[in-house]
Amino acid sequence: MIPSSAKRTLIFLLLSVLVFWGPDWLVPTAWQHDATYPLVSNLYQGLLVIAGFWFGPALCNAMVVDEVRAGPLRQAIDRVLDELNTAGLNTQATAHSLAVLPVTLVDHPQPFIVTAGLLPGQCQVFLSTGQAVRLGPAGLRFLLTRAMVHGEVSQRMASMIPVLLLTVAFPDTLDWVTSLTLAGCCLGWLALHWTVELRVDAKAARVIGPHAIEGLRELIAATAAAASTLSLHAPTGWRLKACQGGGVT
């Protein structure tokens, strides 16, 4: 979820704990020893993961304290969205066009951008002022184009399926074998994540065209300047190479 006020974040965390683990506290002990209980529990938690992605836009909206509806940053975002809409109407760019998602600009100092939702038709992008203010026109264009690519079906599945498998495939109690397996799966997920993100960079470059590399360089510089948290992005050289290959028309 997106960063929010301390109160809303605490409420969200408490409700999440109750929804995920509340049934285990309420179910009689005898039921927990039934052979079908682990299956039912995993099914319940798996459905919660799917519901979390489906209701992601509503949950993010609930976490928004102050939305920016006017001003220079909002106008800059609207200009980029207009450009993407225009590119989609251009018959020569149809093969690289995107569904343009609604963008909510959140007044928050922490830099972040989130594409929330399960299916493209109900996805929504949440962008903070702390992220937008760090970028010029080229960087903002590349950032928002990437966010639109993340709204495609393949991207939504690449985001949800690893979380779903991690939730339902691993037991609550870990031994050394399970721990090693989990570590291996995390490394596999990181490799998959990098592959997917590089494809997102390449698709964004195809949509924008030959000047996309300028936007990616600007975005990388802004990310490095604000790198107070761990980044899971692919290596910079790989991203630049993917963008250069995708930007050739």
Side-chain angles (χ1 to χ4, degrees), residues 67-84 103-105 127 129 132-133 135-137 140-141 144:
E67 178 182 353
V68 179
R69 301 179 183 273
L73 286 179
R74 183 69 249 186
Q75 292 171 2
I77 291 170
D78 290 338
R79 281 194 296 269
V80 173
L81 299 182
D82 288 341
E83 291 173 4
L84 291 175
V103 177
T104 299
L105 181 60
L127 171 64
T129 54
V133 76
L135 300 171
L140 185 61
R141 183 182 302 109
L144 289 176

Side-chain angles (χ1 to χ4, degrees), residues 5 34 44 48 57 61 126 150 153 173 182-183 197 213 228-229 235:
S5 66
D34 189 279
Y44 171 74
L48 284 181
N61 275 310
F126 294 84
H150 274 297
V153 173
T173 55
L182 180 59
E197 289 300 300
I213 191 69
S228 58
T229 57

Side-chain angles (χ1 to χ4, degrees), residues 173-192:
T173 55
L174 299 179
D175 54 24
W176 68 272
V177 175
T178 308
S179 299
L180 289 177
T181 303
L182 180 59
C185 288
C186 288
L187 290 176
W189 170 84
L190 183 61
L192 173 64

Side-chain angles (χ1 to χ4, degrees), residues 3 76 85-86 102 106 114 126 128-129 138 140 144 160 168 198 232 243:
N85 273 314
T86 301
V106 184
V114 175
F126 294 84
S128 71
T129 54
L140 185 61
L144 289 176
M160 183 192 71
V168 303
L198 290 173
L232 295 177
C243 185

Side-chain angles (χ1 to χ4, degrees), residues 29-115:
T29 304
W31 289 18
Q32 298 183 17
H33 295 292
D34 189 279
T36 60
Y37 182 78
L39 177 62
V40 174
S41 178
N42 283 341
L43 178 61
Y44 171 74
Q45 293 194 354
L47 290 174
L48 284 181
V49 171
I50 296 173
F53 275 84
W54 180 267
F55 293 106
L59 292 172
C60 288
N61 275 310
M63 301 292 282
V64 173
V65 178
D66 294 311
E67 178 182 353
V68 179
R69 301 179 183 273
L73 286 179
R74 183 69 249 186
Q75 292 171 2
I77 291 170
D78 290 338
R79 281 194 296 269
V80 173
L81 299 182
D82 288 341
E83 291 173 4
L84 291 175
N85 273 314
T86 301
L89 296 175
N90 186 342
T91 55
Q92 295 181 348
T94 300
H96 305 322
S97 63
L98 291 173
V100 179
L101 307 174
V103 177
T104 299
L105 181 60
V106 184
D107 187 12
H108 197 285
Q110 186 71 23
F112 67 82
I113 184 168
V114 175
T115 301

